[in-house]
Amino acid sequence: INAEYGIDANKRQMAHPISFAQRAAYTATALYGKAVISVLCKSVTMRNGARLEQLMTKRGRNIPMISVSNHPSVFDEPLIWCPLPLRLLLRRSIMRQSLAEATILFPTPLFAWFGRVGGAVPLTRGHGVDQRGVDEALNILNAGGWVHVYSEGRVNQTDELLLPLRRGVGKLVAECRTTPIVFPIYTRGTDEMFPEDPASEHWGWPRSLWHRLPRRNKALSVDIGEPLPASLIERERNSIEPLYPRLAASDAPADAIPLDDETWTARDTSDASRRVYERIADHIGGALQQLRDQHYGRRQ
């Protein structure tokens, strides 16, 4: 990785220790994902996995990371990360935390607990970029963490991306206090393992039951793209008045944005800032589209 991204030999450290029960639940979820892809997949490929491993383990201690992917299935979490070796997958301190639709992953307190342990950050669809979940993701980034975003905004099982991407990812890039590493990920396979088309062939099964059964002998492919140029990200970040003071990567981690009910308030962003968020999302969408085209170019 180019030195402009601040890659060094520092090891990542967990900012907030977790309980034994949380660690056990996280480990069980990771092992479950490994088991699922071993049963359902005839092949599992992660292209440029070494690039992702380097970013996970050797980037500067306070440098945040944002990955953006397409969203072919509600089961993308945790399956697209399961091609990673267990020595990385089980290190919760360096793994991603993903933005997730609250009504899907957090319908009950038990699901919410597992979602939190597994690294999900709840968002409410339709509430825009000025909501508590976005500020929680900013806190993760400001502590030097990794946030993953399914920026199409919903499950998309077609071969085409839902562009333009949602501008929420642009806000994360623009408003985290240190310039982040931003890179695309393109994945296919979970859509074939868990198709959502109710007209799928059902071979005599009741369609409602068949619709819920996973399909076997599918190929899971996860392509890790190159990070966007740091100069491009920095130029866009410098074109707005930030909501929060900026910090250099060498500075101590930023104070967290208060998120409790008594102190959290939405900080409305200006129209000018929203246009910058949209431009950043367009840059990321272009990189994701290029990665998608490379994926299908290899299949021809």
Side-chain angles (χ1 to χ4, degrees), residues 108-115:
T108 68
L110 180 60
F111 274 78
W113 185 82
F114 271 98

Side-chain angles (χ1 to χ4, degrees), residues 143-250:
W146 170 19
V147 170
H148 182 71
V149 185
Y150 297 97
S151 202
E152 289 180 293
R154 62 179 176 87
V155 170
N156 170 27
Q157 297 200 330
T158 72
D159 292 341
E160 300 298 327
L161 296 174
L162 294 178
L163 298 175
L165 299 183
R166 301 297 179 92
R167 62 187 174 200
V169 68
K171 180 173 181 177
L172 295 180
V173 172
E175 300 295 355
C176 63
R177 297 190 178 184
T178 302
T179 302
I181 299 171
V182 184
F183 63 97
I185 296 176
Y186 188 79
T187 181
R188 298 303 302 185
T190 54
D191 53 319
E192 296 182 352
M193 287 185 270
F194 302 95
E196 297 199 349
D197 181 6
S200 298
E201 183 179 8
H202 59 286
W203 300 337
W205 287 77
R207 193 175 301 279
S208 60
L209 175 61
W210 176 251
H211 178 66
R212 290 166 172 78
L213 292 178
R215 280 41 165 194
R216 298 186 59 185
N217 297 319
K218 303 303 180 182
L220 176 63
S221 174
V222 182
D223 293 6
I224 310 299
E226 294 184 4
L228 275 67
S231 57
L232 171 65
I233 300 300
E234 192 64 31
R235 183 176 70 245
E236 295 291 5
R237 282 167 53 85
N238 289 338
S239 67
I240 64 170
E241 183 68 28
L243 292 175
Y244 307 101
R246 298 277 169 79
L247 295 174
S250 58

Side-chain angles (χ1 to χ4, degrees), residues 85-104:
L86 274 176
R87 60 183 172 80
L88 297 178
L89 194 62
L90 296 181
R91 289 177 61 187
R92 186 176 182 273
S93 60
I94 65 171
M95 283 297 296
R96 90 290 171 245
Q97 297 193 55
S98 299
L99 302 186
E101 167 55 39
T103 58
I104 295 176

Side-chain angles (χ1 to χ4, degrees), residues 13-19 22-23 92-94 97 136 139-145 253-256 259:
Q13 293 182 349
M14 177 173 288
H16 304 287
I18 61 176
S19 69
Q22 290 173 319
R23 185 174 297 279
R92 186 176 182 273
S93 60
I94 65 171
Q97 297 193 55
E136 183 176 342
N139 277 346
I140 296 167
L141 294 169
N142 291 339
D255 293 335
L259 297 176

Side-chain angles (χ1 to χ4, degrees), residues 27-107:
T27 300
T29 301
L31 294 177
Y32 167 77
K34 280 283 192 184
V36 167
I37 65 172
S38 68
V39 170
L40 298 184
C41 296
K42 64 182 179 182
S43 65
V44 178
T45 305
M46 177 173 275
R47 295 182 178 87
N48 299 315
R51 173 184 294 153
L52 178 57
E53 178 175 349
Q54 186 180 27
L55 289 170
M56 291 171 64
T57 60
K58 295 183 178 179
R59 73 183 187 278
R61 193 178 303 278
N62 294 328
I63 295 180
M65 186 161 77
I66 301 171
S67 55
V68 182
S69 76
N70 60 316
H71 195 11
S73 172
V74 294
F75 292 95
D76 291 333
E77 291 290 334
L79 297 185
I80 68 170
W81 312 112
C82 290
L84 287 167
L86 274 176
R87 60 183 172 80
L88 297 178
L89 194 62
L90 296 181
R91 289 177 61 187
R92 186 176 182 273
S93 60
I94 65 171
M95 283 297 296
R96 90 290 171 245
Q97 297 193 55
S98 299
L99 302 186
E101 167 55 39
T103 58
I104 295 176
L105 283 187
F106 297 81

